[in-house]
Amino acid sequence: MKNSLSEPSLKSATRSTEARGSRFVRSCLRLPVDRTPIWLLRQAGRYMPEYMAVRKHHSLLDICRTPEIAAEVTITAAERLGVDAAIIFADLLLPFTPMGLEFEFLAGEGPVVHAPIRSVEQVRALRTDRVDELGYVARAIEKVAAHFSAPRTDGDQLGIIGFCGAPFTLASYMIEGGSSRNYIETKKLMYGDGAAWSLLMDKLITVLAGFAEQQVEAGADVIQIFDSWAGALGVTDYRQYCLAPTQELVSRVQALGVPVIYFGVDTASLLSTMRGTGADVIGLDWRIPLDAGWKAVGEGCGVQGNLDPIALFAPHEVLEARVREILDAAGGRPGHIFNLGHGIVPGTPVENVIQVVEWVKEYGAQ
C-alpha cells in the first residue's frame, strides 16, 4: 500500500472528513444525531427486481469484480430504499483468490472451496502479497462515493460502508470448504494444531487489513467486519481462539481513521466478550432484545440492529410494532443504528422494506 495519499485518495479523504458530520458516522461514534440512522443488511439483493435484472446477465462474482456494476447495484438499492448508508456490493470470500485459494458459487450450495485448508503446509502456501488484486472493490467504492458526494435533500451525507470478513469466519470457510452446521474440521484444526491456526490468523489479518485500507482510501467512511459464524463458538473458545485475532484486525482498521462495526449471528452469549474486540459498534441479531443486548455489550459502545428479517413478511401492524419496540428499547440513546438482525431474504416484499425505513425516519427522532 502507498505510504502517502494519491490524488484519488486525497479526494476520498476529503469526502470522509465531510462525512464525519453525517448521521450514520456520528451514530457509529456515539455522538448525538437528529434521528436514528438506518441501513439494512443485504439491502442490495435477490428480493429487489432491479438486482435480479442485473443477475440475469452477470454472475455474483462478475458483479463483485466489475466496479461499474457493483457500484450500480449499491447505488440503486440505497436510493430505492432511502437509507442513510450504502454498503458496497461485494462478497466475504473475495480475498481467497489472491491468497491462492480458488472458490466458486454453486446453485443450491453456496460458496465451495475446491481445496479446503486442512494442514499447516497448506496454510504456509497461502499468499499475503497480492492484496492489490482486490482493487476492483476500491474502484467500486470510489464510484459510489462520487455519486453520493453531495449532501441529500435533508442536508445529511449518505454514509459509505466497506467491509470484510473476520478471521474466524473466513478461516471456517477455508477449512470446511463452504458453509457448515457443526464446523467439525474448523474446530479440529483450531484445537489440534496451534501453529497452523496461529499462522492462518496472522495471514488473514494481514490480507484483511490491507483490503480494508484500500476501501478506506477509496472513500469508505466505516468498515463492517462480518464474523458470521462466531456464534458457533462457546465463550471459552471464542476468548482463546478468536478474540485476539479479531481485536488485532479491528485495531488495524481503526488506525486508518474510521469506525468499525463488528457483526455476528447467534452471538447473544458472546456479546460481553465481543466487546473486547474494541469495535465501535456491535451488531445484534434478533434473538436478544435490543436493550438487553446493549446492556451485555456495555457502556462506551454503540449497537446495530436488530429486527428479525422475516418480520418484513408480517402484516403492517405487526411489523410497525416490531420497529417501535426496537426504537423504544434504544430509548434515543446515541449510538444506535437501526438494522436487521441478519440479511434480507429472497421474496421479501420491497414495499415493506421501504415502509420500515419510513417508520424509522418518522419514529426515530432523538
Side-chain angles (χ1 to χ4, degrees):
M1 301 302 297
K2 297 182 179 67
N3 292 321
S4 59
L5 290 173
S6 63
E7 183 177 350
S9 298
L10 183 58
K11 292 178 181 177
S12 300
T14 301
R15 185 202 178 276
S16 183
T17 300
E18 293 171 349
R20 290 287 171 170
S22 75
R23 183 181 296 120
F24 171 66
V25 174
R26 287 180 64 83
S27 287
C28 289
L29 298 171
R30 301 177 307 284
L31 297 173
V33 291
D34 58 338
R35 67 162 174 81
T36 303
I38 176 172
W39 71 279
L40 303 166
L41 293 161
R42 291 201 200 117
Q43 61 191 25
R46 288 177 291 168
Y47 75 103
M48 189 170 277
E50 294 89 340
Y51 172 74
M52 293 308 297
V54 174
R55 279 301 304 272
K56 286 181 181 179
H57 305 286
H58 304 280
S59 71
L60 173 63
L61 288 177
D62 285 342
I63 297 173
C64 292
R65 291 169 174 162
T66 308
E68 294 77 12
I69 304 175
E72 174 193 344
V73 168
T74 302
I75 292 165
T76 298
E79 291 185 334
R80 177 84 189 275
L81 302 179
V83 288
D84 295 304
I87 186 167
I88 193 64
F89 189 92
D91 188 81
L92 295 183
L93 274 55
L94 295 178
F96 285 12
T97 303
M99 294 183 77
L101 197 63
E102 296 300 323
F103 71 98
E104 64 178 323
F105 287 91
L106 299 180
E109 294 187 42
V112 175
V113 176
H114 296 295
I117 301 296
R118 302 285 170 83
S119 69
V120 70
E121 290 78 18
Q122 288 176 293
V123 175
R124 290 194 187 108
L126 293 172
R127 303 279 296 270
T128 60
D129 59 341
R130 292 162 47 186
V131 182
D132 285 348
E133 294 178 15
L134 295 168
Y136 52 83
V137 175
R139 292 195 294 275
I141 289 176
E142 287 178 348
K143 293 179 182 297
V144 174
H147 181 86
F148 290 116
S149 59
R152 300 185 294 171
T153 55
D154 65 355
D156 188 46
Q157 183 104 36
L158 186 127
I160 309 296
I161 307 170
F163 73 88
C164 64
F168 175 80
T169 288
L170 291 193
S172 298
Y173 275 115
M174 285 181 164
I175 297 165
E176 299 293 336
S179 301
S180 176
R181 290 180 61 87
N182 297 307
Y183 302 92
I184 294 172
E185 296 298 332
T186 302
K187 292 184 178 182
K188 281 168 59 179
L189 188 142
M190 186 178 78
Y191 294 141
D193 194 335
W197 184 259
S198 179
L199 181 59
L200 181 55
M201 292 294 101
D202 288 345
K203 289 195 170 192
L204 283 167
I205 290 167
T206 297
V207 171
L208 295 170
F211 185 33
E213 184 177 359
Q214 291 175 351
Q215 297 180 61
V216 172
E217 287 189 354
D221 306 309
V222 173
I223 296 293
Q224 174 152 312
I225 297 175
F226 285 86
D227 214 349
S228 307
W229 308 136
L233 296 173
V235 173
T236 299
D237 284 346
Y238 182 89
R239 285 177 176 157
Q240 184 168 347
Y241 300 105
C242 183
L243 179 57
T246 308
Q247 184 181 44
E248 175 66 18
L249 178 59
V250 168
S251 177
R252 291 197 191 185
V253 175
Q254 289 171 329
L256 301 171
V258 296
V260 170
I261 302 170
Y262 178 54
F263 172 76
V265 181
D266 203 9
T267 55
S269 62
L270 298 175
L271 290 175
S272 60
T273 310
M274 289 168 66
R275 179 68 184 93
T277 63
D280 300 277
V281 180
I282 300 293
L284 308 176
D285 72 16
W286 67 96
R287 296 173 178 87
I288 186 169
L290 186 130
D291 50 352
W294 209 338
K295 183 178 180 180
V297 168
E299 296 294 328
C301 186
V303 296
Q304 179 175 274
N306 60 338
L307 181 69
D308 183 346
I310 308 307
L312 293 168
F313 289 88
H316 273 205
E317 61 271 19
V318 175
L319 182 55
E320 182 180 10
R322 297 295 180 270
V323 170
R324 282 183 172 274
E325 179 183 16
I326 291 167
L327 291 171
D328 288 346
R333 286 175 285 173
H336 176 224
I337 299 160
F338 196 101
N339 208 312
L340 304 176
H342 201 221
I344 301 176
V345 304
T348 298
V350 178
E351 60 273 15
N352 284 9
V353 181
I354 294 172
Q355 183 63 71
V356 166
V357 175
E358 292 176 353
W359 280 327
V360 172
K361 290 178 178 179
E362 181 181 355
Y363 305 140
Q366 297 186 7

